[in-house]
């Protein structure tokens, strides 16, 4: 999370990591253990910890490793502050010797060596993603925070990569999940690592600002429902793209809607007047980037008809509309219907680009939905994906663990009554074997 | 999230809200819509938005409303900074008029009125949790952030309350989920709202420091595996509770283990020497608070036996051990076995408190596990709960929405082809009806 710290001082980021990523962002037992190690004279024993997971998420065959950049920043800046020490004094038993707190106050990670897989690499179960080597106490104190930084980042990047594989490379994928994420920073992590996993952009503006990720968005249903009649359109005139006298777009759009009603085989007055007013006002604000949400009332008889009337009006003035978004209903059917109408209009009025306008779909999309929509031969160009992507609904946590594998050169292991939890002791090195044909 | 902002300047929090909670923590379409409203002269239209959810989470019958405090701070401090405005200039189309950015720069929430349910209240579907009333543009710009702040907080508090109901009021519940949470702040939110939902504490030290939540923790498996033989115990002497000459605790513990092996009906040499060394060193660090993780090797033959030997040694010196934690295996069976042995030892050696030592269980606990353990008549006193609690695995997002219900005094609604998405237009007021008997 490259979330800057200070917003007050001239609005300049004072640091490049989220303030909450700090040594106290850990489980208390790391610190109670640290004291016991300290009391036992074991602080400097040379230890090796492996950070790895036991199973690929989502019943899948791979994982994308992510979060390394944040881990490096955390390890580099690891240092307890004075208020951290005061707080720890207040929660540890009174019997803890004061010298321990002096020891903590001056603890640094200068003797820690980190080996890691590259960020964004495809990884597999039991392969060490991070190997943390150094004095026992410091390595132990890093555990929880490193796990927190790797677990969700890798899960998210993996989830995004799976959506990308399901959608294919020609479909645009946008992350729309902020409001359903696990809090503010959960949302930022989701945007960042979805982009790393193969998404094209996000709706999250702060993620765009902080991480330089492309941001996207047009309007919500509320924009449409905020207009109820054509009279609410205060300004009805738009200057054509190449200049000249402003044109009354309402008049044109109504004329187009009359004509299109015949093509659609509907009555023009069945379409919502408020929706047409909303679309026109939006088109006048963004004549070069008009993309409308067409399912506020009824997709075919109202949203699509009104949209096409406005798009053709813009076309008269030299502008090209971008397309539509559908946020409910049978997305395969509705997208095919919309594409059919775009093609029909394209031919009938000889406007080639009209046939290839963008169709965005965004209602509760997940990996299975995309696969099922593919089978139904949808006509969607872009998916906006929220809840399922950012919460990783099918498996909301990657179970990375951090295990002591060696101490003072001696291999270590934990036995377990659950056989899949037993890990191989000693340092690990992993090799990927390629056949003669490169696979 | 009462996460302070500045860590540099004397380590004093400069603000009481997580820095990432700011006006740009929103979907871009809120801002593209704001421009279209501005262009249409609708910025000041008086609007009313309701924030509500449509279904209780977890197939349940209630929801706990949480996140209000954060919402109030966000609304109060709502203000775009200069760099926010520069960033927005760079992402909105070049055709957007410069006056719009001046307008945004000076936008405040002074005309917004918020009505809300009390934080921590039990709430139900379609009841407005927040009613946001004021100028259309400002109310619209608050949407995503308010949803982000309410959705996860309420989901988490509800999840925690369900665990509390499953466990009953006499069991201690501790949140251990930081490492499996959705990033650093996801972890902090989880700790805060689990506490609000009825948990007794957390392992997350930063949550303890920031929110004044009780923190808990002892040691991990790594502490045990870091010792491999008795010789590693550098210090073997502990001063009794009431003072006097230090006593050799290793000698005593070995003697107790010999005796206990007969009670356990095992061979003392089957127990791990490294584990005994680890327990002794930990007990010497925390003679008044000894709680040991007993499943590193084998619960009955090693962990429990070694623990009891150390606990009886501490007892000889006037200290009382706290208990054990079990992190794998059949928790009902193992907890009953441990309780049986505690009771046997309590009787045999006439140490009444020994029978009622704490048994903590912590392996992948969820609501169903607790209910099933209840049926199996476990002997657990405390659950440490991570993944399932903090990710809300069974339903990782509460689907709160934010709907325009009135504009300039006129009721508004969105129709939908999905009938359960249709909301009642106009302002809502909700009443809870009580029968004569108060139910």
């Amino acid at each position: 999370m490259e979330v800057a710290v200070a917003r007050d001082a001239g609005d300049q980021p004072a640091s490049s990591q989220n303030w909450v990523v700090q040594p106290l962002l850990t489980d208390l037992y790391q610190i109670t253990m640290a004291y016991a190690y300290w009391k036992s004279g074991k602080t400097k024993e040379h230890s090796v910890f492996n950070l790895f997971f036991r199973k690929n998420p989502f019943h899948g065959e791979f994982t994308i490793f992510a979060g390394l950049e944040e881990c490096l920043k955390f390890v580099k800046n690891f240092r307890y502050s004075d208020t951290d020490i005061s707080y720890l004094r207040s929660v540890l038993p009174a019997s803890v010797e004061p010298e321990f707190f002096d020891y903590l106050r001056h603890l640094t990670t200068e003797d820690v060596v980190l080996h890691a897989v590259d960020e964004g690499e495809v990884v597999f179960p039991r392969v060490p993603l991070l190997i943390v080597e150094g004095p026992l106490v410091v390595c132990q104190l890093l555990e929880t925070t490193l796990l927190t930084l790797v677990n969700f980042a890798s899960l998210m990047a993996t989830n995004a990569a799976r959506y990308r594989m399901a959608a294919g490379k020609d479909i645009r994928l946008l992350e729309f999940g902020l409001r359903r994420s696990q809090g503010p920073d959960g949302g930022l992590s989701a945007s960042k690592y979805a982009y790393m996993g193969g998404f094209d952009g996000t709706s999250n503006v702060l993620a765009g600002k902080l991480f330089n990720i492309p941001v996207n968005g047009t309007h919500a249903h509320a924009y449409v429902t905020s207009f109820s009649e054509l009279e609410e359109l205060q300004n009805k005139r738009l200057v054509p793209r190449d200049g000249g006298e402003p044109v009354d777009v309402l008049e044109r759009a109504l004329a187009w809607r009359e004509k299109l009603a015949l093509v659609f085989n509907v009555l023009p007055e069945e379409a919502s007047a408020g929706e047409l007013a909303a679309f026109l006002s939006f088109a006048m604000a963004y004549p070069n980037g008009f993309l409308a949400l067409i399912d506020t009332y009824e997709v075919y008889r109202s949203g699509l008809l009104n949209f096409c009337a406005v798009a053709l009006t813009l076309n008269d003035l030299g502008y090209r509309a971008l397309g539509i978004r559908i946020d409910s209903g049978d997305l395969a059917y509705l997208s095919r219907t919309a594409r059919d109408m775009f093609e029909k209009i394209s031919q009938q009025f000889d406007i080639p680009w009209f046939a290839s306008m963008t169709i965005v779909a965004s209602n509760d999309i997940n990996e299975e939905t995309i696969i099922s929509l593919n089978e139904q031969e949808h006509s969607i160009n872009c998916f906006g994906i929220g809840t399922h992507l950012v919460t990783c609904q099918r498996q909301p946590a990657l179970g990375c663990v951090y295990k002591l594998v060696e101490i003072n050169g001696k291999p270590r292991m934990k036995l377990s009554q659950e056989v899949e939890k037993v890990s191989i002791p000693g340092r690990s090195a992993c090799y990927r074997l390629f056949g003669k044909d490169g696979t």
Side-chain angles (χ1 to χ4, degrees), chain A residues 132-146:
Chain A
V132 183
E133 195 171 333
L136 180 57
V137 166
V138 193
C139 293
Q140 183 71 63
L141 285 168
L142 300 173
E143 173 177 10
T144 304
T145 323
L146 293 179

Side-chain angles (χ1 to χ4, degrees), chain A residues 41-289:
Chain A
K42 282 172 85 81
T43 52
K44 291 194 175 157
E45 295 198 356
H46 186 81
S47 64
V48 181
F49 286 84
N50 283 355
L51 189 154
F52 63 94
F53 59 89
R54 297 192 177 104
K55 238 199 232 171
N56 285 311
F58 316 117
H59 305 291
E61 301 292 330
F62 71 94
T63 299
I64 307 284
F65 170 59
L68 177 60
E69 189 190 354
E70 294 308 303
C71 290
L72 295 177
K73 283 186 208 154
F74 166 67
V75 171
K76 207 175 146 207
N77 300 322
F78 186 93
R79 194 95 199 207
Y80 293 99
S81 73
D82 287 331
T83 65
D84 291 347
I85 299 294
S86 314
Y87 178 69
L88 291 176
R89 265 182 214 276
S90 75
V91 293
L92 289 181
S95 61
V96 169
E97 298 170 27
E99 292 75 16
F100 172 65
F101 296 107
D102 297 339
Y103 165 77
L104 279 190
R105 183 69 185 94
H106 298 102
L107 202 66
T108 70
T109 51
E110 61 182 359
D111 297 324
V112 172
V113 177
L114 224 100
H115 310 265
V117 169
D118 284 342
E119 180 128 37
E121 189 95 329
V122 174
V123 289
F124 302 97
R126 294 178 185 273
V127 172
L129 310 177
L130 290 180
I131 300 175
V132 183
E133 195 171 333
L136 180 57
V137 166
V138 193
C139 293
Q140 183 71 63
L141 285 168
L142 300 173
E143 173 177 10
T144 304
T145 323
L146 293 179
L147 286 171
T148 305
L149 293 172
V150 169
N151 263 330
F152 183 60
S154 301
L155 186 74
M156 191 63 229
T158 308
N159 202 23
R162 295 179 61 94
Y163 277 80
R164 169 54 70 204
M165 287 167 69
K169 65 182 171 48
D170 298 328
I171 300 269
R172 274 171 65 74
L173 292 178
L174 304 176
E175 178 269 312
F176 282 1
L178 175 57
R179 64 187 63 191
R180 303 290 167 83
S181 63
Q182 289 200 350
D185 188 57
L188 280 177
S189 305
S191 305
K192 177 173 176 178
Y193 296 110
Y195 189 59
M196 190 179 284
F199 269 54
D200 295 294
T202 177
S203 65
N204 183 338
V205 188
L206 188 60
K209 184 183 179 194
L210 295 172
F211 311 133
N212 200 23
I213 298 173
V215 286
N216 298 80
T218 53
H219 70 85
H221 295 114
Y223 190 81
V224 176
T225 57
S226 79
F227 290 82
S228 51
E229 42 202 47
L230 293 172
E231 289 64 40
E232 289 173 35
L233 212 56
Q234 299 191 1
N235 171 29
K236 294 164 197 168
R237 302 173 77 79
L238 179 65
V239 176
R241 186 157 192 271
D242 297 331
E245 281 304 297
V247 175
D248 183 327
V249 290
L250 174 58
E251 200 176 275
R252 289 219 178 210
L254 287 172
W256 270 117
R257 199 167 72 171
E258 286 289 331
K259 259 187 246 179
L260 288 172
L262 299 171
V263 185
F264 275 65
N265 198 21
V266 296
L267 297 173
E269 51 273 26
E270 283 188 76
S272 158
E275 188 180 53
L276 182 61
F279 286 180
L280 279 169
S281 73
F282 207 73
M284 285 187 284
Y286 301 104
N288 288 303

